[in-house]
Amino acid sequence: TAAAAAAAAPTTVAAATSATVPPAAMAKSFDAKEVEDVGNRLSAEDWETIAALGLDRPNWMAHEAVQGRRLFNLTLPGSRGSGLYGAGGGDAVEEEAGRSATDPESQHLSVDRQLRLGVRAFDLRVAWSFTKKCLYVSHGRLKRPLAPLLAEMSAFLATSHLEVIVVRAQLDWGAYVYDQRHISALLAEERDPTKVPGQTLHEEMAKAFGELLATYRRLSLIPES
């Protein structure tokens, strides 16, 4: 499912340049020790440091150079496992069903702070909580309810009118391995002639974003010029 709206930030602050890389540099090979040394130097800045250094970019898409381009001609900063941060919120009943106690974490910044950092592409894996009867962000283990996370995105868009968010959401098959009920209810939509595949997720997106969601109807209202 894709939703057009605003952005998010990765755990590690990184800078990229379009400067030409000399062929010799591109051809350089690294031995195992060099790779290990580079890995040991990687770190993630906390939000206070990011803000103090002025690294946040909450309105970068409003820049005239960006506004003059088509969306598909832009490179959008993105985060993987965008909702996997902080303390988890898995259901106790489901944890007792033999699920791993490991709490997955891919990010160290909340979605709101990721947005303010400048990320505009989100990767979400979702599963069904059969005790709470709602969608969760998940990675094997249920992490947190999806609705509040989408609400953070919607609130950001409400005050950032020129920003666009792209959300890629897919079923978390890792949760299915732990308990089929996390996915079976969502898979049933594909066999139900009265529903469309992914309908529960689509409805959650529509509820959160309302008129901000880039549906075909909304996109048809955009002037061709």
Side-chain angles (χ1 to χ4, degrees):
T1 299
T11 42
T12 303
V13 178
T17 178
S18 60
T20 302
V21 180
M26 296 177 64
K28 176 178 172 57
S29 61
F30 297 89
D31 60 31
K33 182 62 170 61
E34 287 177 305
V35 172
E36 180 181 0
D37 290 342
V38 171
N40 291 338
R41 290 197 297 272
L42 294 177
S43 63
E45 301 290 356
D46 57 39
W47 179 251
E48 289 69 24
T49 301
I50 292 171
L53 294 175
L55 297 177
D56 54 319
R57 297 289 185 273
N59 301 304
W60 67 268
M61 297 189 80
H63 192 281
E64 60 181 12
V66 177
Q67 288 296 304
R69 290 177 174 268
R70 294 178 178 271
L71 179 62
F72 292 120
N73 291 334
L74 296 175
T75 298
L76 300 179
S79 60
R80 185 177 186 277
S82 307
L84 304 178
Y85 56 85
D91 296 339
V93 172
E94 292 161 344
E95 289 300 317
E96 292 172 2
R99 291 153 55 75
S100 171
T102 303
D103 195 12
E105 184 168 342
S106 298
Q107 306 296 325
H108 79 296
L109 296 178
S110 67
V111 162
D112 176 65
R113 287 180 171 178
Q114 291 182 51
L115 286 166
R116 290 157 62 189
L117 182 59
V119 173
R120 295 295 179 268
F122 291 91
D123 165 56
L124 301 176
R125 299 182 186 185
V126 300
W128 182 254
S129 169
F130 50 80
T131 61
K132 300 295 180 65
K133 306 301 181 184
C134 66
L135 289 169
Y136 264 61
V137 173
S138 173
H139 190 71
R141 181 182 188 273
L142 302 189
K143 185 70 174 181
R144 57 173 35 82
L146 176 64
L149 186 150
L150 297 180
E152 289 186 37
M153 297 181 187
S154 181
F156 176 82
L157 291 176
T159 58
S160 306
H161 305 298
L162 296 179
E163 304 299 305
V164 172
I165 290 176
V166 175
V167 178
R168 179 176 186 266
Q170 59 184 322
L171 294 179
D172 177 24
W173 288 98
Y176 181 87
V177 172
Y178 285 112
D179 194 314
Q180 295 183 8
R181 290 176 293 177
H182 289 309
I183 299 295
S184 57
L186 303 177
L187 291 178
E189 295 177 340
E190 299 185 9
R191 301 186 295 271
D192 189 335
T194 67
K195 296 184 177 181
V196 298
Q199 181 164 324
T200 298
L201 180 56
H202 282 290
E203 291 175 348
E204 194 75 50
M205 292 281 189
K207 181 180 178 181
F209 294 113
E211 292 299 301
L212 296 173
L213 190 63
T215 61
Y216 287 116
R217 182 181 66 83
R218 293 291 297 167
L219 292 175
S220 67
L221 300 177
I222 299 176
E224 291 186 6
S225 58

